[in-house]
Amino acid sequence: MDLMLEGRRCLVTGASAGIGAAIAEGLAREGATVVATARRQDVLDQWAEGLEAAGVRRPLTVTGDMTDARQIGRIACQAAQLAGPIEVLINCAGGSRPVTLEDGEEVWEEAMSLNFTAGRRLAEHVLPAMREARWGRIINITGLMEPHFLNAALAAKAALHLWAKGLSRDLAKEGITINSIAPGRIESEQVQRLYPESERAAFIERYIPAGYFGEPADLSNLVVFLASPLARYITGTLIPVDGGMSHKGA
């Protein structure tokens, strides 16, 4: 199936590894012009070189800290300078932030900045060009809605869900779709750290009907479709990619 992404200009955050890297690769394999951003230039360069060696169009790269409002503006500006006006934004940067009642305000502020405010601000930078073109895609990689314990990142992701839902209603008539994807246990640096091999079998047996942790490609395949013109009638959604985990109370 031709997803009609050839030449589409895409910006992917959190793209140096894991889910973000898989999404950026998936878009590049469809012929999109991809700008990948993350904090680690060396990792970004190594990843981009690997794709180029495999015959995939090499992504453009921009480094920056998504918790810094000034750097978010710079990232958006550099991405547009490198590729042209951004048509597809993938907000993937984020990370779990377990907290306790004793943690200070700065912990909550950092979690909200990374997991909600950064994505909102970046969208606000790229939306004028999308609105002028009357076409655009914003896709947010968010988080679970059934927390097992207090986690500041999940509170921030909940805010991202509702922000995206409201914005999708405002912009639907302008040809801009906005969707969110809630990953379950997808193999990544963070998941490998939090779920050692000795604990996985019991977790899977209890919570994941599919019987295994997902791979980044399991999620990126959906993102690439939602980024395409073929997904024009899908907006304002929250789609779990979790092997059925959310349906077992995990």
Side-chain angles (χ1 to χ4, degrees), residues 19-209:
I19 292 171
I23 292 169
E25 178 178 349
L27 291 166
R29 287 187 179 277
E30 290 294 325
T33 299
V34 176
V35 181
T37 184
R39 287 180 295 183
R40 299 177 292 182
Q41 184 68 60
D42 57 336
V43 178
L44 274 176
D45 288 342
Q46 184 178 12
W47 164 75
E49 289 166 5
L51 287 186
E52 186 176 34
V56 180
R57 178 183 297 181
R58 180 177 178 136
L60 307 166
T61 60
V62 176
T63 56
D65 182 354
M66 292 294 293
T67 64
D68 185 324
R70 291 170 298 180
Q71 292 196 45
I72 290 172
R74 176 185 57 77
I75 289 168
C77 182
Q78 283 188 243
Q81 289 173 345
L82 288 170
I86 297 301
E87 300 170 287
V88 177
L89 170 63
I90 313 296
N91 282 318
C92 192
S96 181
R97 294 295 188 273
V99 294
T100 69
L101 292 175
E102 289 72 37
D103 283 320
E105 195 68 22
E106 67 279 0
V107 176
W108 281 93
E109 289 178 356
E110 189 273 342
M112 291 297 294
S113 177
L114 176 62
N115 291 284
F116 169 61
T117 307
R120 176 185 62 78
R121 284 175 171 158
L122 193 54
E124 289 169 356
H125 280 287
V126 302
L127 271 169
M130 292 182 184
R131 298 186 76 180
E132 183 176 354
R134 298 192 68 80
W135 196 94
R137 301 285 186 266
I138 297 174
I139 303 167
N140 308 299
I141 309 305
T142 62
L144 299 173
M145 293 301 291
E146 302 95 356
H148 288 226
F149 46 79
L150 189 60
N151 190 315
L154 295 188
K157 295 295 191 182
L160 193 65
H161 290 160
L162 295 182
W163 165 80
K165 182 72 172 181
L167 188 61
S168 73
R169 301 293 179 85
D170 291 343
L171 297 177
K173 289 184 178 180
E174 298 183 37
I176 299 168
T177 68
I178 304 168
N179 293 288
S180 299
I181 298 176
R185 299 303 182 266
I186 306 295
E187 295 288 2
S188 64
E189 292 178 357
Q190 179 173 276
V191 165
Q192 290 168 4
R193 183 176 67 252
L194 295 175
Y195 295 91
E197 288 294 335
S198 60
E199 299 177 8
R200 289 193 174 199
F203 184 92
I204 290 169
E205 175 65 25
R206 183 176 182 185
Y207 292 120
I208 306 179

